[in-house]
Amino acid sequence: MPDDVRDSLFSQWILENPWPFSIVTLLIAATIGWIAIQRDDRRPLLVAGILAGLALLALGVGLVVETPAEAAASATRRFVEDAESGRVDLLVARLDPEATLHPGRIENPGFPVEDLRSMLDALGGVHRIERNSITLLDAVTTGGGAAVVELACLTRTSSSLGYVPSRWIFEWERRDGDWVIRSITAASIAGRVPGGRDVLRVGS
């Protein structure tokens, strides 16, 4: 994930993953309540009640609200499922008309959408996926309707000699209710950083 892309603490610990905050806060509330009962002092019970209510509120908000990062992560999972099944038409349909393919880093100059289509077409042919597992999926909201997703996979294709690790960066943007890909970055394939248009050749 790019160093300059980070979610706010509120998004990280309330909207996207409310469980740690809620559990810890509930434990603190329960401890305060237990101490109050042991000391026969009801004043701390108000504090315990407020903390418990805050924990439940945070949990409810986190479970109900879907952030752009969560939506983009789900879109990435569907993208991987379609890639595993060789549904190239669905993969290409998710591309923005001006989407770009970047070797190594997002900041590197990108190749045009035609190169992305060629890469995805190969997943239906010479580089058809036989087995795949996601080893990392991390998403960060970058704007009201945009997110960056880091994806790592361990993949065996019809052209590889075994399982090949790879890491990718997806830039997603919401358009008219749908999520489209603005760019795909091939960060590393088979432990090497791609340097040209045919990024999949590295892992062949």
Side-chain angles (χ1 to χ4, degrees), residues 1-8 11-13 16-17 67-77 80 106 133-142 146-153 166-172 179 183 185 187:
M1 189 71 69
D3 293 334
D4 59 346
V5 178
R6 290 288 181 270
D7 257 346
S8 66
S11 293
Q12 285 182 326
W13 298 110
E16 294 172 10
N17 185 20
T67 66
E70 291 172 318
S74 296
T76 303
R77 286 189 181 277
V80 172
I106 294 178
S133 61
I134 295 175
T135 57
L136 172 69
L137 185 64
D138 185 22
V140 176
T141 300
T142 57
V148 172
V149 178
E150 181 177 6
L151 170 72
C153 294
S166 63
R167 188 167 64 89
W168 307 82
I169 306 294
F170 288 74
E171 285 189 289
W172 290 90
W179 285 87
S183 76
T185 299

Side-chain angles (χ1 to χ4, degrees), residues 25-200:
T25 305
L26 283 173
L27 288 175
I28 294 174
T31 301
I32 293 174
W34 182 81
I35 293 174
I37 292 174
Q38 292 296 312
R39 295 180 178 180
D40 196 22
D41 184 357
R42 296 187 177 182
R43 289 174 298 179
L45 289 178
L46 177 60
V47 176
I50 293 174
L51 288 176
L54 181 62
L56 294 176
L57 177 62
L59 184 61
V61 170
L63 294 178
V64 170
V65 175
E66 183 182 55
T67 66
E70 291 172 318
S74 296
T76 303
R77 286 189 181 277
R78 292 192 295 271
F79 184 92
V80 172
E81 290 171 359
D82 289 335
E84 292 170 348
S85 301
R87 295 190 286 261
V88 176
D89 55 334
L90 296 181
L91 301 179
V92 173
R94 292 188 176 91
L95 298 178
D96 180 87
E98 298 182 357
T100 49
L101 172 64
H102 300 255
R105 297 173 59 86
I106 294 178
E107 298 82 3
N108 292 339
F111 298 110
V113 69
E114 288 78 16
D115 291 285
L116 263 176
R117 293 193 184 107
S118 296
M119 182 186 74
L120 297 178
D121 283 341
L123 297 180
V126 65
H127 295 306
R128 180 65 186 264
I129 295 174
E130 296 178 348
R131 288 186 178 275
N132 180 71
S133 61
I134 295 175
T135 57
L136 172 69
L137 185 64
D138 185 22
V140 176
T141 300
T142 57
V148 172
V149 178
E150 181 177 6
L151 170 72
C153 294
L154 193 60
T155 311
R156 188 178 75 191
T157 70
S158 56
S159 61
S160 64
L161 298 177
Y163 285 91
V164 176
S166 63
R167 188 167 64 89
W168 307 82
I169 306 294
F170 288 74
E171 285 189 289
W172 290 90
E173 185 173 306
R174 184 162 45 203
R175 303 265 182 85
D176 299 324
D178 294 324
W179 285 87
V180 297
I181 295 172
R182 294 190 309 182
S183 76
I184 296 179
T185 299
S188 67
I189 300 177
R192 297 170 58 190
V193 178
R197 275 184 153 88
D198 191 359
V199 298
L200 293 181

